[in-house]
Amino acid sequence: MKNIIPKAILISCIALSAGVCKAQNHLFKTSNPYYSHTAQNPLKVSNSEWKKILKPELYQVAREGATETAFTGKYDEFDEKGMYYCAVCGNALFLSTSKFATTCGWPSFYQPIRKNSVRYRKDTSYHMERTEVLCGRCDSHLGHMFDDGPKPTGKRFCMNSICLEFVPSKK
């Protein structure tokens, strides 16, 4: 994907989210020393360390590649304006403006906020070939990408709600 989001829009979104994050971090309490809405440096943390830090449900999906049950995630039918972050490390992942309605049972987006927000890995589990989507910072499993999304990308990033943290835009 080329130039996913024009630089001016990205800078505005990051500036907007910076103020939101400061307020949200006050509300979102975590003992996770690796959690940050501003850091972009790749993390190399062992699963044994993550297991000590994360709640069991999040650990199972994000670090062991499980999938939450369809239609049960908090962001499946959710349409507030704001930004979605990795629930494991705080990495910025998606803008709400790239979220679209689907009937698949998981929140879906047509593009990440920036090229290195996510990374991809071939997944051949369950006798099928899919593209796994991982956090670009902490390598946590977020979900899968499919080629049946809307324009402009034609992609559907089908994400597990449990792996996302939503921060609303300031009004």
Side-chain angles (χ1 to χ4, degrees), residues 125-169:
S125 62
Y126 302 106
H127 306 290
M128 59 179 130
E129 190 171 308
R130 301 179 290 176
T131 302
E132 180 181 15
V133 180
L134 304 163
C135 174
R137 183 166 181 250
C138 69
D139 283 335
S140 287
H141 169 79
L142 301 171
H144 291 87
M145 182 184 69
F146 302 95
D147 291 324
D148 60 357
K151 291 181 180 183
T153 65
K155 303 294 182 194
R156 175 171 52 99
F157 290 80
C158 188
M159 304 290 98
N160 290 289
S161 287
I162 195 166
C163 295
L164 303 174
E165 179 213 353
F166 177 76
V167 175
S169 299

Side-chain angles (χ1 to χ4, degrees), residues 71-88:
F71 305 103
T72 63
K74 59 187 171 187
Y75 301 125
D76 175 34
E77 292 187 20
F78 182 84
D79 63 356
E80 289 188 36
K81 299 296 181 210
M83 192 177 302
Y84 292 84
Y85 295 86
C86 175
V88 174

Side-chain angles (χ1 to χ4, degrees), residues 28 30 32 35 47 50-51 53-68 74 85-90 138 140-142 160-165:
F28 183 77
T30 179
N32 180 347
Y35 194 89
N47 275 346
W50 283 126
K51 195 167 195 168
I53 297 168
L54 304 175
K55 291 181 180 178
E57 304 81 23
L58 177 57
Y59 180 83
Q60 185 180 18
V61 176
R63 304 307 304 174
E64 295 181 338
T67 300
E68 68 189 0
K74 59 187 171 187
Y85 295 86
C86 175
V88 174
C89 72
C138 69
S140 287
H141 169 79
L142 301 171
N160 290 289
S161 287
I162 195 166
C163 295
L164 303 174
E165 179 213 353

Side-chain angles (χ1 to χ4, degrees), residues 14-52:
I14 290 171
L16 170 66
S17 70
V20 172
C21 294
K22 188 180 271 184
Q24 180 68 12
N25 281 341
H26 175 70
L27 300 172
F28 183 77
K29 298 199 185 311
T30 179
S31 59
N32 180 347
Y34 306 106
Y35 194 89
S36 170
H37 281 182
T38 56
Q40 293 182 20
N41 57 310
L43 293 172
K44 297 297 179 202
V45 179
S46 70
N47 275 346
S48 59
E49 180 70 13
W50 283 126
K51 195 167 195 168
K52 294 175 194 171

Side-chain angles (χ1 to χ4, degrees), residues 36 66 69 73 149 170:
S36 170
T69 304
K170 282 190 173 180

